[in-house]
Amino acid sequence: MADATYEELILDILYVDGRISKAKLIGILAGLVVFIIYLIYMIPYSLRAGPLPFLITVSICFFQIVLYYCICRFGGYLIRRFTN
């Protein structure tokens, strides 16, 4: 994957075997919901508190987005693996 272009990497986030993966799409939507919740409730308060709380909040938000994406992707893999 080291020689992949940006377009190939972006397509790998959403597509499986040339089609859109429902599990990956659900993971992206869950990550978007987490980001919006953080954007509305957590980030304004952490900006008022200072730069360190802001960076901690943003890093926790990023890890939660990645976690939900991976959980949905793994769930889609399990469903695809055991239903065939």
Side-chain angles (χ1 to χ4, degrees), residues 35-80:
F35 177 72
I36 290 172
I37 289 171
Y38 265 81
L39 193 63
I40 292 172
Y41 295 109
M42 298 298 292
I43 291 178
Y45 297 116
S46 66
L47 277 172
R48 291 185 199 132
L52 185 61
F54 173 72
L55 291 175
I56 292 170
T57 303
V58 169
S59 62
I60 291 171
C61 177
F62 174 75
F63 287 123
Q64 277 189 334
I65 289 171
V66 171
L67 177 71
Y68 289 140
Y69 176 76
C70 291
I71 288 171
C72 291
R73 188 171 178 176
F74 183 67
Y77 169 75
L78 289 177
I79 290 171
R80 188 173 55 251

Side-chain angles (χ1 to χ4, degrees), residues 11-57:
L11 290 177
D12 185 49
I13 291 173
L14 190 57
Y15 284 86
V16 171
D17 299 330
R19 62 175 177 76
I20 294 179
S21 170
K22 293 179 192 90
K24 287 183 178 183
L25 184 62
I26 291 170
I28 290 172
L29 292 176
L32 184 64
V33 168
V34 168
F35 177 72
I36 290 172
I37 289 171
Y38 265 81
L39 193 63
I40 292 172
Y41 295 109
M42 298 298 292
I43 291 178
Y45 297 116
S46 66
L47 277 172
R48 291 185 199 132
L52 185 61
F54 173 72
L55 291 175
I56 292 170
T57 303

